[in-house]
Amino acid sequence: MEELSGVVERVTYYNEDSGYSVIKIMPDKRYPRAQARDGTVAVVGVMPELNEGESAEFTGEWVTDPKYGRQFRAQQAIPVPPNTAQGIINYLSSGIVKGIGPRTAEKIVERLGENTVAILDAEPERIYEVPRLKPQLAKTLIEIWPKKRGERNMLIYLQGLGVSSRFAQRIVKEYGGHTRQVVENNPYQLADDVFLIGFRKADQIARKMGLQLDDARRLRSGLHYALNQLAGEGHTYAPRAELLEKAAELLGVDDSAALDDGLERELKSGKLVEDKLQDAGTGEPIHAIYLPRFHRAETSASQMLRLMASSASPIIRDRRDRDWASALTKLSERNKVSLSSQQFTAVRAALTSKVSVLTGGPGTGKTTALQMLINALKEGDYRFNLASPTGRAAKRLGEAAGEDASTIHRLLGFAPDEGGFEHDESNPLPTDMVVIDEASMLDLQLFTSLLRALQPTTHLLLVGDVDQLPSVGAGNVLRDVIDSGVAHVTRLDQIFRQDDDSHIVSNAHRINQGRRPITDNQSKDFFFFNVSDPEAVAENIVEIVKTKAPQRWAFDPVRDIQVIAPMYRGAAGVNNLNSRLQKELNGDYRQAEVKLGARLFRVGDKVMQTRNNYDKDVFNGDIGFVYSVDDDDNSLEVVIDGKAIAYDYSEMNDLMHAYCISTHRSQGSEYPAVVMPILTQHYMMLQRNLLYTAITRAKRLVILVGTRQAVHIAVNNNQVAERHSGLLNRLRG
C-alpha cells in the first residue's frame, strides 16, 4: 500500500449513495508521472465526502487507466484538520456556527491567517480582532470551539470509517463525547438512534470495522431491517418463515439456524413480538412477527374501534325515534339539494351508526352527501371536526365543505418536541363526530393515534376512494375497516359530474371497471400520445409542459401542470424528468442557486415538502417555490401558499423538486392538468389503482404519453399487492 496526501482542488464526481468519488488534489509531494499540467493528481475510490480546500490523507495504489491515465486508487481516505486558507474557510463555513458563511469565514482567515485553527485552539478571544465581525457571532464561536474541536476529532474518526461528513455530523450530534464508544460497541445501534442512518449505512461502517457477515449483532439488526423494509411495502407484520427468508436475502447469509437463534433472542428481549393470527381465506394459523410499535397499534386500534362501534352516543340517543326520511327531505329542500338514495343512505348511516364509511369514485357525489351531513349536524347543534391525512387534502376538504378542516396531526395537537399528541385517552377531543376525508391515505399508526383521541361516544365517518392506491405507510386501514363488518359502508357508484365531451371522469370509471380508457383524442380533456422510446417520451413531456399545453389551454407550465410518473428511475422516471423540466422551465443560471450533494436548488424552482414540520407549519406534500438563496446564512427561503418559509441547508432533505412527482405523492391533491408517462418499462408499477389514482388527480386535462400496451397492462392488472395486516383479523375477533 502506498500513501498520498494533499489538498482537494476539484470534486469531479461524488455519488452520495455509494461514496464513490473522482477528485483532483494538489499533492504535498511531486509526482511527475501522475501530475497534470496544473500540478493536480487524480484520486478515485469510495471515500468520505470531501470539499474543495480540505486536506486529506489517502492509502491505496497507483494505477494507469487506459482512458484517463495515471491515477491514485484510494482504499482509504481520511480528512485531516485544515491547514490552508481555503480549507479553513470551508471548515468555518460548514455550519459549525449558524451565520458564518463563506464570506464571513474569509474575513476571519484574512485577519488570523493560516494559523486560524491554532489561534482558536489556544487564544480564541483573538476572534474579536476580526473587523466588522458581529460580536454575537464572535462570542458564539468562542463558546462552541472547544466542543467542536472534540467533535472534529470524532468526525475524522468516523470519516476514516467511510462516513460522509453530513452523516458524521449527525452521529456526533446524537452521541457527543460517547460517539467512539457507541460505534465500537455496536455500530448497528446507529440505525436505531440516528436520523437517516439506516441499516445499510450502519452495515458499511461495521464492515469497515471488520465485523463478519454472520456477526450476531448484524443478524439481529438485519431482522429489524427486514421488517422495516416490509413495512415500507405496506406490511405491518411478516410471517415467520417469510421474515427469515427476507432477512437472509438482504444480509447475504445462508445460516438459517443462526438467524433463527437471533430471532428468538429478539423475541425474548421484547424487541420483536410474535403473535398467532388466522389466514382470512384458509383459516390456517399465521405465526406473525411484528415490530413492537405495529403490534401495539393494531391491538389498541381494533379494541378502540370495536368499543366505539358498540357504544351509545348523544346523536343516536337524541334522534333514535326520528323520521329520517322526512327530516333529510326537508333539509335538502331548504338547501336546494336533492339526494340520491345512495347519498341519503350515507348521510343517515353517519348519524345512526357510530362507525361508517362513504366510498366512491370521482363525480359520484361524496361531497354533496358530506355537505348534507354537515347541515344535519348544524341543525342538531352537534360538534364536529373535519380532517385529512395531508395538508393538501385538508385544504381541499375545507373548500368543498365550506367549513374549517385541518390535518389529522393538527386536529390532535401534534407536539414535535414530545413526539406525541395533545389529544389522547387522557385528553380526548370534545366533539360528537369526526369526518376523515381521503381515508385511503390513512396508515395504521396515524389511525391508532386518531382513535386514541376520540371518546367511545364519538361518531367516526371515513370518506375516501377505496380503489385508489393504499397508504404510503404500513397498514390497509380503509379496506380492513370496510371488510370487517364493524362499520356501515355506503358505496356510491352513480356518476353525477360528467360533461358529454369530457372523458376524465368516464375514463377513470372505465379503468376502475377493468375497461380500456377511450384514447381517440376526440374529447376536450383527455389525450393520448403514442410514443414507445423512453427518451422520446421524456422529450415529448418536456415539450407538452413547456410549450404545447400552455399555448393551447393557457396553462402556466409550472403552477398549473403536474407531471406524475409511476417510477423514479429511467429516462421517463421522476428523477430524470425533474432534471429536464428544471433545465427547461427554470434554467437561467444567473439566478441564485445552491448545490447540496447531487441536487441543485435554484431560485424559482418548484419544490415539495416531504414530511410534516409543525415548527414551520408546513406539511408532507405541500408545494412551493424557492424564493431566495443566502450563502452567508446557509439557508434558502421557500414560498408555500403565500407564506415564506426559511430552510437551513441542513434541512434540505425535507425538500424535493416537484416538477414531476410519484403517483403516491400526488394522493390527496388535485391539479388543473396532469401529464403522465406510461411505458412497458414501468411494468413493475403498472397497476389499475396506480393509473386510476393519477388520472383522478386532474380537474381539467389529462395527457398520457407512452404506449397503449402499457395502458392495457395497467388496466388489466388488478392484482393489488397483498398487505400483511392483522387489523382485519382483530376487528373480526
Side-chain angles (χ1 to χ4, degrees):
M1 287 291 176
E2 298 183 77
E3 294 181 349
L4 173 70
S5 61
V7 178
V8 178
E9 288 287 312
R10 293 189 301 280
V11 178
T12 305
Y13 176 78
Y14 175 70
N15 185 299
E16 193 170 346
D17 293 327
S18 67
Y20 183 79
S21 305
V22 178
I23 63 174
K24 295 293 184 72
I25 73 163
M26 187 64 70
D28 294 337
K29 300 178 182 177
R30 291 186 70 248
Y31 297 90
R33 290 179 57 204
Q35 286 177 280
R37 290 182 180 179
D38 61 0
T40 60
V41 168
V43 181
V44 300
V46 175
M47 61 187 76
E49 184 179 3
L50 296 170
N51 296 313
E52 294 177 5
E54 282 191 278
S55 298
E57 296 173 349
F58 306 93
T59 303
E61 60 182 349
W62 290 99
V63 297
T64 301
D65 185 275
K67 183 175 181 180
Y68 298 107
R70 195 77 168 160
Q71 345 179 282
F72 191 84
R73 183 175 294 160
Q75 294 190 10
Q76 186 179 48
I78 300 177
V80 297
N83 56 15
T84 65
Q86 187 58 53
I88 298 167
I89 290 169
N90 288 342
Y91 180 68
L92 289 174
S93 60
S94 65
I96 59 172
V97 175
K98 188 172 182 179
I100 295 184
R103 293 176 189 169
T104 303
E106 283 178 14
K107 287 194 294 187
I108 294 173
V109 175
E110 281 175 8
R111 180 65 183 184
L112 301 182
E114 294 188 0
N115 292 323
T116 296
V117 172
I119 291 171
L120 290 174
D121 284 345
E123 305 173 87
E125 66 279 357
R126 285 189 59 190
I127 193 68
Y128 288 111
E129 297 176 10
V130 178
R132 300 185 305 282
L133 181 66
K134 295 177 182 177
Q136 186 58 46
L137 277 181
K139 180 183 177 184
T140 303
L141 184 60
I142 289 172
E143 291 173 351
I144 210 167
W145 188 258
K147 178 184 175 184
K148 290 297 179 182
R149 184 173 53 198
E151 288 182 0
R152 189 169 71 231
N153 292 333
M154 285 296 100
L155 291 175
I156 292 168
Y157 162 70
L158 290 169
Q159 290 177 336
L161 294 175
V163 183
S164 73
S165 58
R166 183 161 56 100
F167 284 112
Q169 287 167 0
R170 282 197 183 133
I171 294 169
V172 171
K173 183 178 181 181
E174 178 69 30
Y175 301 122
H178 302 290
T179 297
R180 190 165 191 149
Q181 178 185 347
V182 171
V183 172
E184 290 181 347
N185 180 54
N186 183 9
Y188 294 100
Q189 188 174 333
L190 301 176
D192 296 328
D193 298 341
V194 184
F195 180 57
L196 289 181
I197 300 278
F199 173 83
R200 286 297 185 198
K201 283 190 171 62
D203 197 38
Q204 288 172 2
I205 296 169
R207 302 289 292 142
K208 194 88 171 178
M209 292 169 60
L211 270 70
Q212 300 301 306
L213 287 175
D214 58 355
D215 188 282
R217 290 168 291 182
R218 183 173 189 267
L219 298 182
R220 292 200 298 271
S221 182
L223 290 164
H224 290 259
Y225 174 56
L227 279 171
N228 277 303
Q229 289 290 100
L230 290 166
E233 297 169 14
H235 306 291
T236 61
Y237 73 84
R240 185 177 182 125
E242 185 176 320
L243 171 61
L244 292 171
E245 182 181 346
K246 178 80 170 179
E249 175 191 338
L250 290 171
L251 294 172
V253 299
D254 53 13
D255 189 345
S256 57
L259 263 178
D260 200 63
D261 180 64
L263 176 56
E264 285 300 323
R265 288 175 179 271
E266 294 303 277
L267 292 172
K268 286 178 182 176
S269 68
K271 293 179 180 177
L272 296 178
V273 179
E274 184 172 25
D275 204 348
K276 188 173 285 187
L277 303 175
Q278 213 173 35
D279 187 279
T282 65
E284 293 292 316
I286 300 172
H287 294 275
I289 309 297
Y290 283 86
L291 292 165
R293 67 181 186 273
F294 290 127
H295 188 263
R296 288 193 300 268
E298 265 190 11
T299 303
S300 58
S302 59
Q303 292 171 347
M304 291 184 292
L305 194 66
R306 291 173 68 179
L307 175 62
M308 179 184 292
S310 62
S311 300
S313 79
I315 298 176
I316 293 175
R317 185 176 59 249
D318 294 349
R319 304 295 179 101
R320 183 174 292 128
D321 301 323
R322 184 143 188 205
D323 180 355
W324 280 108
S326 174
L328 290 178
T329 298
K330 291 178 181 177
L331 191 61
S332 62
E333 288 174 354
R334 284 201 298 274
N335 288 277
K336 298 180 181 178
V337 175
S338 60
L339 295 179
S340 69
S341 59
Q342 290 179 337
Q343 291 170 320
F344 174 87
T345 299
V347 177
R348 187 179 187 279
L351 295 165
T352 58
S353 300
K354 290 297 304 307
V355 181
S356 59
V357 173
L358 172 59
T359 186
T364 56
K366 295 191 297 294
T367 300
T368 299
L370 180 56
Q371 289 169 335
M372 288 303 298
L373 171 63
I374 291 171
N375 290 334
L377 291 169
K378 284 182 171 180
E379 186 182 66
D381 200 24
Y382 297 114
R383 300 166 298 178
F384 63 91
N385 294 94
L386 310 178
S388 291
T390 69
R392 296 165 294 158
K395 185 177 179 180
R396 284 181 52 214
L397 172 61
E399 291 170 351
E403 300 287 336
D404 290 336
S406 70
T407 63
I408 297 174
H409 280 79
R410 188 162 295 287
L411 174 67
L412 305 186
F414 182 65
D417 293 338
E418 288 82 27
F421 294 95
E422 175 188 347
H423 293 290
D424 54 19
E425 300 95 331
S426 62
N427 181 30
L429 283 165
T431 188
D432 297 306
M433 179 177 288
V434 169
V435 177
I436 302 297
D437 194 23
E438 296 289 354
S440 63
M441 301 174 70
L442 263 181
D443 62 56
L444 173 66
Q445 290 192 291
L446 184 56
F447 185 56
T448 304
S449 296
L450 171 67
L451 293 177
R452 286 192 178 120
L454 301 184
Q455 302 173 77
T457 55
T458 302
H459 286 239
L460 176 64
L461 169 62
L462 302 179
V463 181
D465 189 344
V466 74
D467 297 313
Q468 287 187 23
L469 289 169
S471 60
V472 175
N476 207 4
V477 170
L478 183 59
R479 189 169 293 278
D480 284 351
V481 172
I482 288 173
D483 293 343
S484 69
V486 170
H488 185 290
V489 180
T490 306
R491 179 154 193 155
L492 305 179
D493 55 23
Q494 181 181 350
I495 301 175
F496 294 99
R497 192 184 79 240
Q498 181 180 359
D499 298 333
D500 291 339
D501 56 350
S502 168
H503 281 174
I504 293 179
V505 172
S506 60
N507 272 344
H509 285 273
R510 288 176 69 91
I511 290 167
N512 202 28
Q513 295 159 7
R515 299 160 61 201
R516 296 176 181 180
I518 298 170
T519 56
D520 58 7
N521 293 348
Q522 297 302 306
S523 73
K524 68 177 182 180
D525 59 6
F526 198 102
F527 297 88
F528 176 84
F529 294 99
N530 191 19
V531 185
S532 59
D533 178 67
E535 285 288 348
V537 167
E539 290 174 11
N540 271 265
I541 286 176
V542 170
E543 182 65 19
I544 288 167
V545 174
K546 181 181 178 182
T547 306
K548 292 181 178 179
Q551 286 179 351
R552 181 166 177 180
W553 291 282
F555 285 130
D556 183 294
V558 177
R559 296 179 182 272
D560 294 335
I561 304 173
Q562 184 60 59
V563 181
I564 299 175
M567 296 182 70
Y568 277 87
R569 296 185 178 180
V574 171
N575 296 333
N576 185 53
L577 286 171
N578 260 323
S579 177
R580 295 185 69 155
L581 288 166
Q582 179 195 38
K583 181 179 178 181
E584 292 297 325
L585 302 177
N586 192 36
D588 186 349
Y589 297 104
R590 292 171 296 181
Q591 295 277 24
E593 61 184 34
V594 58
K595 188 170 186 180
L596 300 168
R599 300 186 301 165
L600 176 71
F601 290 94
R602 182 177 293 128
V603 168
D605 270 346
K606 183 180 183 181
V607 293
M608 174 182 279
Q609 173 78 12
T610 59
R611 71 181 183 93
N612 291 338
N613 186 322
Y614 291 87
D615 290 333
K616 296 183 184 296
D617 199 32
V618 291
F619 305 97
N620 183 17
D622 282 350
I623 287 180
F625 299 89
V626 177
Y627 180 74
S628 66
V629 174
D630 187 343
D631 278 333
D632 283 341
D633 198 35
N634 288 333
S635 68
L636 57 76
E637 200 170 54
V638 178
V639 174
I640 299 175
D641 289 333
K643 183 172 58 177
I645 312 293
Y647 287 82
D648 189 81
Y649 286 173
S650 63
E651 300 172 313
M652 295 304 295
N653 281 322
D654 289 357
L655 293 175
M656 63 173 285
H657 291 101
Y659 299 100
C660 178
I661 61 176
S662 70
T663 314
H664 266 109
R665 289 203 177 275
S666 74
Q667 282 184 274
S669 293
E670 279 189 347
Y671 312 100
V674 165
V675 179
M676 182 184 189
I678 182 161
L679 291 161
T680 53
Q681 285 86 349
H682 299 152
Y683 68 95
M684 291 182 64
M685 297 297 292
L686 291 182
Q687 294 178 332
R688 185 184 300 175
N689 59 355
L690 183 138
L691 179 58
Y692 173 76
T693 299
I695 286 174
T696 54
R697 301 306 90 207
K699 292 190 288 187
R700 293 165 51 195
L701 178 68
V702 169
I703 298 178
L704 302 181
V705 184
T707 65
R708 286 188 170 84
Q709 183 185 1
V711 174
H712 300 165
I713 290 172
V715 171
N716 293 330
N717 181 12
N718 198 30
Q719 298 299 312
V720 178
E722 179 188 353
R723 290 191 167 193
H724 295 309
S725 165
L727 182 61
L728 175 59
N729 216 296
R730 300 176 197 281
L731 287 174
R732 286 178 170 174

